[in-house]
Amino acid sequence: MASRFSGALQLTDLDDFITPSQECIKPVTIEKKKTKTGAKIKIGEDGYFDISSGQEQKLQKVEITLADCLACSGCITSAESVLVTRQSQEELLKVFSERKYTDNKGVTKSVSLVVISLSPQPTLSLAARYKLTPEDATKKLAGYFKSLGADLVLDMTVAEDLSLLEVQQEFLERYHNHQNDPTAKHLPMLASSCPGWVCYAEKTHGNFILPYISSTKSPQQIMGSLVKQYLSKSKEVNPSEIYHVTFMPCYDKKLEASREDFYSEILSCHDVDCVITAIELEQMLNNSGKSLSEVASSELDWPWSESDGHPAIRRHLGSGSGGYADHVFSYAAEQLFGESNAPLVYRNLRNPDFREVTLEKDGKEVLKFAIANGFRNIQNLVQKLKRGKSPYHYVEVMACPSGCLNGGAQVRPSTGESSRELVTQLEGLYSQLPLAAAGGGGLVRRLYADWLDGRDSDKARAMLHTRYHAVEKSDIALNIKW
Ligand code: SF4
């Protein structure tokens, strides 16, 4: 299969493969031959050749859309091999120069506002690559995107705050529902912010696992709703004329952005139009012969009216994947058991990527949380669930070993540096970031009041939550046309 991959897409870290892959089921029309021995395929430098007949016949080039990938269970979640033609660096540069884009439905729209949302992990990846402080790397990135034509460069802290608050609330609801009906699938609640994991769950374990997965949207998609549904109003721009780009640590985020669930029929647009990763940005700089260090700096934008905020890439306490387990644990300990400063002491299980933390009350274990990173640990967790032996109330599940700081599209280690050394460096940089305000700041409060009609409203549910869909194997089989 040949395809139009972004130049940076490549098979690299196979550690986050889920299972031995089935073959891609993208249908192609081939001429059926009467042969007893089957087809012989030769891999040439410029494609694949059928040599069964004694003559070389070049095989048809297959183009894969995101929808094909999402409808298939045969591909690999970390999306190394996913064709994302509308989310490539080439496409992004074209949008900057032409100020128009073609959406996933094939409709071309003009662009009046280009908004870039930066997440912490790829920003730190570039800081490490170019030996910059996190603050300098942020400003250089803002300057770089602005030099290309971005109108606004934002940090995603507010979306991360909203995601954490919603997850905390959702956990309490599930906990109470579980008390009322322990047989229903309310607990353990499983994290939802990693599309690699969600995609795997949908394709491989379907309706068995999906009820456990938190309905709260990931920060990327909350940022998407915020930009298209809220910022568009204050900027008086048609949402479909906003081209929203997120800067993320993995290709899986491209798949997430392209989900139909995140397309608004009313606004005729996706919440996020393009995802660019750290490694793609490094390649864009290389292609233009630049180092990030020599790019002119610019401040992040702050298009919100609150004066209490000031834009910066921030961290949340806990893991470098967003700190979900820590936040939910602390909140639940306080709300359910009156423990306002419950100690968070993790114990490694089989490896440091599977660790758990417990809260004891009167000698009894009342909360048991875990962090499971990487597919080996995810499979162990799923097996425990299937055997009815999961002891957990909540699990922060992330597809990449070591979590998002080690995302599949972060800049690779430099020569002589091991992946472990690089991740340790990124963890160090993450711990230097300024802390986000606990519980979100004034902006978060106002968004709940003004935009979302309060917490627990239908609007908050619509903007901040989503649904998942099992992909049935039988449906996949029906798609195969030979
Ligand atoms: Fe992406 Fe983070 Fe999931 Fe890795 S763990 S696939 S970086 S969201």
Side-chain angles (χ1 to χ4, degrees), residues 81-110:
S81 53
V82 172
L83 172 71
V84 192
T85 49
R86 297 226 160 84
Q87 297 193 48
S88 65
Q89 47 194 290
E90 293 80 13
E91 195 65 22
L92 176 62
L93 292 174
K94 212 164 134 219
V95 171
F96 278 129
S97 68
E98 297 179 359
R99 299 292 285 193
K100 63 180 190 208
Y101 73 103
T102 304
D103 70 12
N104 278 4
K105 313 265 177 203
V107 180
T108 300
K109 293 159 180 167
S110 59

Short mmCIF file of all heavy atoms in Angstrom, two decimals, residues 81-110:
data_model
loop_
_atom_site.label_atom_id
_atom_site.label_comp_id
_atom_site.label_asym_id
_atom_site.label_seq_id
_atom_site.Cartn_x
_atom_site.Cartn_y
_atom_site.Cartn_z
N SER A 81 0.45 4.78 10.85
CA SER A 81 0.21 4.52 9.45
C SER A 81 -1.08 5.16 8.94
O SER A 81 -1.63 4.74 7.96
CB SER A 81 0.14 3.01 9.25
OG SER A 81 -0.78 2.46 10.15
N VAL A 82 -1.54 6.16 9.63
CA VAL A 82 -2.78 6.77 9.21
C VAL A 82 -2.53 7.92 8.24
O VAL A 82 -1.72 8.79 8.49
CB VAL A 82 -3.54 7.31 10.43
CG1 VAL A 82 -4.74 8.12 10.01
CG2 VAL A 82 -3.97 6.16 11.30
N LEU A 83 -3.25 7.88 7.18
CA LEU A 83 -3.13 8.99 6.24
C LEU A 83 -4.01 10.13 6.72
O LEU A 83 -5.19 9.97 6.94
CB LEU A 83 -3.60 8.53 4.86
CG LEU A 83 -3.70 9.65 3.85
CD1 LEU A 83 -2.31 10.12 3.48
CD2 LEU A 83 -4.47 9.23 2.66
N VAL A 84 -3.41 11.26 6.91
CA VAL A 84 -4.19 12.38 7.40
C VAL A 84 -3.94 13.55 6.46
O VAL A 84 -3.32 14.54 6.82
CB VAL A 84 -3.78 12.71 8.85
CG1 VAL A 84 -4.77 13.68 9.47
CG2 VAL A 84 -3.74 11.45 9.69
N THR A 85 -4.45 13.40 5.28
CA THR A 85 -4.09 14.36 4.24
C THR A 85 -4.51 15.79 4.58
O THR A 85 -3.84 16.73 4.21
CB THR A 85 -4.74 14.00 2.90
OG1 THR A 85 -6.11 13.74 3.13
CG2 THR A 85 -4.08 12.81 2.26
N ARG A 86 -5.63 15.93 5.28
CA ARG A 86 -6.09 17.30 5.54
C ARG A 86 -5.47 17.90 6.79
O ARG A 86 -5.82 18.99 7.19
CB ARG A 86 -7.62 17.31 5.64
CG ARG A 86 -8.27 16.89 4.34
CD ARG A 86 -9.41 17.79 3.94
NE ARG A 86 -9.67 17.64 2.51
CZ ARG A 86 -10.42 16.68 1.99
NH1 ARG A 86 -11.02 15.83 2.77
NH2 ARG A 86 -10.59 16.60 0.69
N GLN A 87 -4.59 17.14 7.42
CA GLN A 87 -3.98 17.67 8.64
C GLN A 87 -2.47 17.61 8.55
O GLN A 87 -1.80 17.37 9.53
CB GLN A 87 -4.44 16.88 9.85
CG GLN A 87 -5.93 16.98 10.08
CD GLN A 87 -6.30 16.45 11.44
OE1 GLN A 87 -5.68 16.81 12.43
NE2 GLN A 87 -7.29 15.62 11.49
N SER A 88 -1.95 17.80 7.37
CA SER A 88 -0.50 17.71 7.21
C SER A 88 0.10 19.11 7.29
O SER A 88 -0.59 20.12 7.19
CB SER A 88 -0.17 17.10 5.85
OG SER A 88 -0.61 17.96 4.84
N GLN A 89 1.41 19.14 7.46
CA GLN A 89 2.09 20.44 7.49
C GLN A 89 1.95 21.16 6.14
O GLN A 89 1.84 22.38 6.10
CB GLN A 89 3.56 20.23 7.83
CG GLN A 89 4.17 19.12 7.01
CD GLN A 89 5.50 18.65 7.54
OE1 GLN A 89 6.47 19.38 7.44
NE2 GLN A 89 5.58 17.46 8.05
N GLU A 90 1.92 20.37 5.05
CA GLU A 90 1.76 20.99 3.73
C GLU A 90 0.41 21.70 3.64
O GLU A 90 0.30 22.81 3.13
CB GLU A 90 1.84 19.93 2.62
CG GLU A 90 3.20 19.26 2.46
CD GLU A 90 3.47 18.16 3.48
OE1 GLU A 90 2.51 17.74 4.17
OE2 GLU A 90 4.63 17.74 3.62
N GLU A 91 -0.61 21.03 4.15
CA GLU A 91 -1.95 21.59 4.12
C GLU A 91 -2.00 22.87 4.97
O GLU A 91 -2.60 23.87 4.58
CB GLU A 91 -2.93 20.55 4.67
CG GLU A 91 -4.38 20.82 4.38
CD GLU A 91 -4.73 20.76 2.90
OE1 GLU A 91 -4.00 20.13 2.13
OE2 GLU A 91 -5.74 21.40 2.54
N LEU A 92 -1.36 22.81 6.12
CA LEU A 92 -1.36 23.97 7.01
C LEU A 92 -0.71 25.17 6.31
O LEU A 92 -1.25 26.29 6.32
CB LEU A 92 -0.60 23.63 8.30
CG LEU A 92 -0.43 24.78 9.29
CD1 LEU A 92 -1.78 25.28 9.80
CD2 LEU A 92 0.42 24.33 10.48
N LEU A 93 0.43 24.94 5.67
CA LEU A 93 1.12 26.05 4.99
C LEU A 93 0.25 26.60 3.86
O LEU A 93 0.21 27.80 3.61
CB LEU A 93 2.47 25.57 4.44
CG LEU A 93 3.51 25.22 5.52
CD1 LEU A 93 4.77 24.62 4.90
CD2 LEU A 93 3.87 26.45 6.36
N LYS A 94 -0.48 25.70 3.20
CA LYS A 94 -1.37 26.12 2.11
C LYS A 94 -2.50 27.01 2.66
O LYS A 94 -2.86 28.03 2.07
CB LYS A 94 -1.96 24.87 1.46
CG LYS A 94 -2.23 25.02 -0.01
CD LYS A 94 -2.43 23.67 -0.65
CE LYS A 94 -3.64 23.75 -1.54
NZ LYS A 94 -4.49 22.63 -1.56
N VAL A 95 -3.02 26.62 3.81
CA VAL A 95 -4.10 27.41 4.41
C VAL A 95 -3.59 28.80 4.78
O VAL A 95 -4.25 29.81 4.54
CB VAL A 95 -4.68 26.71 5.66
CG1 VAL A 95 -5.64 27.62 6.42
CG2 VAL A 95 -5.40 25.42 5.26
N PHE A 96 -2.37 28.85 5.31
CA PHE A 96 -1.81 30.16 5.65
C PHE A 96 -1.67 31.03 4.40
O PHE A 96 -1.95 32.21 4.42
CB PHE A 96 -0.43 30.00 6.31
CG PHE A 96 -0.49 29.69 7.78
CD1 PHE A 96 0.21 28.62 8.32
CD2 PHE A 96 -1.22 30.49 8.65
CE1 PHE A 96 0.17 28.34 9.68
CE2 PHE A 96 -1.27 30.23 10.01
CZ PHE A 96 -0.57 29.16 10.53
N SER A 97 -1.23 30.44 3.30
CA SER A 97 -0.98 31.27 2.12
C SER A 97 -2.26 31.58 1.36
O SER A 97 -2.43 32.68 0.83
CB SER A 97 0.07 30.64 1.21
OG SER A 97 -0.45 29.48 0.63
N GLU A 98 -3.21 30.65 1.33
CA GLU A 98 -4.42 30.88 0.51
C GLU A 98 -5.60 31.39 1.31
O GLU A 98 -6.60 31.82 0.75
CB GLU A 98 -4.82 29.58 -0.20
CG GLU A 98 -3.76 29.11 -1.17
CD GLU A 98 -4.14 27.79 -1.86
OE1 GLU A 98 -5.23 27.26 -1.56
OE2 GLU A 98 -3.34 27.32 -2.67
N ARG A 99 -5.50 31.30 2.64
CA ARG A 99 -6.58 31.69 3.55
C ARG A 99 -7.90 31.03 3.15
O ARG A 99 -8.97 31.62 3.16
CB ARG A 99 -6.76 33.22 3.59
CG ARG A 99 -5.54 33.96 4.09
CD ARG A 99 -5.21 33.74 5.53
NE ARG A 99 -6.05 34.42 6.49
CZ ARG A 99 -5.76 34.56 7.79
NH1 ARG A 99 -4.64 34.04 8.27
NH2 ARG A 99 -6.57 35.16 8.61
N LYS A 100 -7.82 29.76 2.80
CA LYS A 100 -9.01 28.94 2.62
C LYS A 100 -8.64 27.49 2.91
O LYS A 100 -7.45 27.13 2.86
CB LYS A 100 -9.62 29.10 1.24
CG LYS A 100 -8.74 28.66 0.11
CD LYS A 100 -9.45 28.87 -1.21
CE LYS A 100 -8.62 28.20 -2.28
NZ LYS A 100 -8.69 28.73 -3.58
N TYR A 101 -9.62 26.66 3.26
CA TYR A 101 -9.34 25.26 3.56
C TYR A 101 -10.49 24.40 3.07
O TYR A 101 -11.61 24.87 2.87
CB TYR A 101 -9.11 25.05 5.06
CG TYR A 101 -10.36 25.13 5.93
CD1 TYR A 101 -10.96 23.97 6.42
CD2 TYR A 101 -10.92 26.36 6.26
CE1 TYR A 101 -12.10 24.04 7.24
CE2 TYR A 101 -12.05 26.43 7.07
CZ TYR A 101 -12.64 25.27 7.56
OH TYR A 101 -13.76 25.35 8.34
N THR A 102 -10.16 23.12 2.86
CA THR A 102 -11.19 22.16 2.47
C THR A 102 -11.42 21.25 3.65
O THR A 102 -10.48 20.65 4.17
CB THR A 102 -10.73 21.34 1.25
OG1 THR A 102 -10.40 22.28 0.20
CG2 THR A 102 -11.82 20.40 0.77
N ASP A 103 -12.67 21.17 4.11
CA ASP A 103 -12.94 20.37 5.31
C ASP A 103 -13.06 18.88 4.97
O ASP A 103 -12.94 18.48 3.81
CB ASP A 103 -14.18 20.90 6.06
CG ASP A 103 -15.47 20.64 5.30
OD1 ASP A 103 -15.47 19.87 4.31
OD2 ASP A 103 -16.50 21.20 5.70
N ASN A 104 -13.31 18.07 5.99
CA ASN A 104 -13.37 16.62 5.79
C ASN A 104 -14.52 16.19 4.89
O ASN A 104 -14.55 15.08 4.42
CB ASN A 104 -13.52 15.92 7.15
CG ASN A 104 -12.18 15.77 7.82
OD1 ASN A 104 -11.18 16.25 7.31
ND2 ASN A 104 -12.17 15.13 8.97
N LYS A 105 -15.49 17.07 4.71
CA LYS A 105 -16.62 16.75 3.84
C LYS A 105 -16.31 17.16 2.40
O LYS A 105 -17.17 17.07 1.53
CB LYS A 105 -17.89 17.48 4.29
CG LYS A 105 -18.15 17.40 5.78
CD LYS A 105 -19.09 16.27 6.10
CE LYS A 105 -19.29 16.16 7.60
NZ LYS A 105 -19.71 14.89 8.07
N GLY A 106 -15.13 17.73 2.20
CA GLY A 106 -14.75 18.14 0.84
C GLY A 106 -15.23 19.53 0.47
O GLY A 106 -15.13 19.94 -0.68
N VAL A 107 -15.74 20.28 1.46
CA VAL A 107 -16.24 21.63 1.17
C VAL A 107 -15.13 22.65 1.42
O VAL A 107 -14.48 22.62 2.47
CB VAL A 107 -17.46 21.96 2.08
CG1 VAL A 107 -17.99 23.36 1.79
CG2 VAL A 107 -18.53 20.91 1.94
N THR A 108 -14.93 23.54 0.46
CA THR A 108 -13.88 24.56 0.62
C THR A 108 -14.48 25.82 1.24
O THR A 108 -15.53 26.29 0.82
CB THR A 108 -13.23 24.86 -0.74
OG1 THR A 108 -12.66 23.64 -1.22
CG2 THR A 108 -12.13 25.90 -0.62
N LYS A 109 -13.79 26.34 2.24
CA LYS A 109 -14.29 27.51 2.97
C LYS A 109 -13.20 28.56 3.08
O LYS A 109 -12.01 28.22 3.17
CB LYS A 109 -14.70 27.09 4.38
CG LYS A 109 -15.90 26.17 4.39
CD LYS A 109 -15.98 25.40 5.65
CE LYS A 109 -17.20 24.51 5.62
NZ LYS A 109 -17.21 23.52 6.65
N SER A 110 -13.62 29.82 3.13
CA SER A 110 -12.61 30.86 3.31
C SER A 110 -12.26 30.97 4.80
O SER A 110 -13.06 30.60 5.66
CB SER A 110 -13.10 32.19 2.76
OG SER A 110 -14.28 32.54 3.41
#
